[in-house]
Amino acid sequence: MQVEPRIAVIPRGLTAIGATSAPFEPALPLRDLRPGEMRRVTFGDLDVLFARTSNGIVAIDDRCPHMSAPLSLGELDGCLVACPLHSGQFDLATGLPTRMPTTGGLDADGTYHPVWSPPDKEPKPDPPGIKAEARRLTRVRRIRYYPVRVRDGMLEVAVPRA
Ligand code: FES
């Protein structure tokens, strides 16, 4: 009997708005996402990244929280995904940055996080004035997750539709 793969728990506050009430829909065959692999699947104008991490399968927006590069072109190592554009790195088990350049911003639920700094560095201050306000209101700065499940060998995902 085939053992179903683990589905990772979505970090608190990072579920995409509307995803918990959205219907599941087919995304790709499970056999097309082997351990350690990533795949982009597009739903309308939403590009979703499926990653089979060491912590389980996750589905997130396929865009880096720094400047929106497609993370699907990056590299996955365990739970860590590295961005192809400026080498930012994120832990998909927690949704947190682990390497610069990355910034803070809004969770999917609107919770604000200040500019991220590595634990061994002095905190980087927010830029002053309009830049701080623009950063504060930038929602793409945090990873958004979508619920995933496996049915009959297919990976399914719940993505909200307009
Ligand atoms: S766009 Fe990903 S680190 Fe800059």
Side-chain angles (χ1 to χ4, degrees):
M1 193 176 91
Q2 189 177 356
V3 178
E4 292 291 313
R6 183 172 174 196
I7 304 296
V9 174
I10 295 178
R12 186 185 176 95
L14 294 183
T15 303
I17 298 295
T20 50
S21 57
F24 280 90
E25 49 189 300
L28 74 163
L30 179 61
R31 66 173 178 274
D32 290 350
L33 189 71
R34 299 182 190 285
E37 287 186 340
M38 299 189 290
R39 293 275 182 275
R40 168 192 260 209
V41 180
T42 299
F43 301 86
D45 66 352
L46 185 67
D47 300 313
V48 177
L49 171 71
F50 291 85
R52 195 156 174 180
T53 76
S54 54
N55 191 48
I57 296 174
V58 300
I60 64 171
D61 289 319
D62 188 19
R63 50 140 184 75
C64 177
H66 179 228
M67 289 178 68
S68 300
L71 291 173
S72 56
L73 296 182
E75 291 186 1
L76 180 64
D77 180 8
C79 288
L80 301 178
V81 61
C83 177
L85 197 51
H86 310 110
S87 301
Q89 188 185 66
F90 305 88
D91 185 343
L92 296 180
T94 63
L96 297 174
T98 50
R99 190 171 68 203
M100 296 287 232
T102 57
T103 69
L106 298 180
D107 286 345
D109 68 3
T111 304
Y112 174 70
H113 295 261
V115 174
W116 180 82
S117 299
D120 57 339
K121 294 268 190 332
E122 285 291 308
K124 189 177 169 189
D126 265 327
I130 195 72
K131 283 190 175 181
E133 185 68 355
R135 189 189 298 273
R136 190 180 71 77
L137 295 176
T138 301
R139 196 174 289 274
V140 299
R141 296 296 185 183
R142 295 278 289 168
I143 292 176
R144 289 187 302 200
Y145 288 73
Y146 300 90
V148 183
R149 71 182 186 188
V150 177
R151 290 289 185 277
D152 299 325
M154 281 296 287
L155 262 178
E156 297 183 345
V157 65
V159 286
R161 302 282 196 160

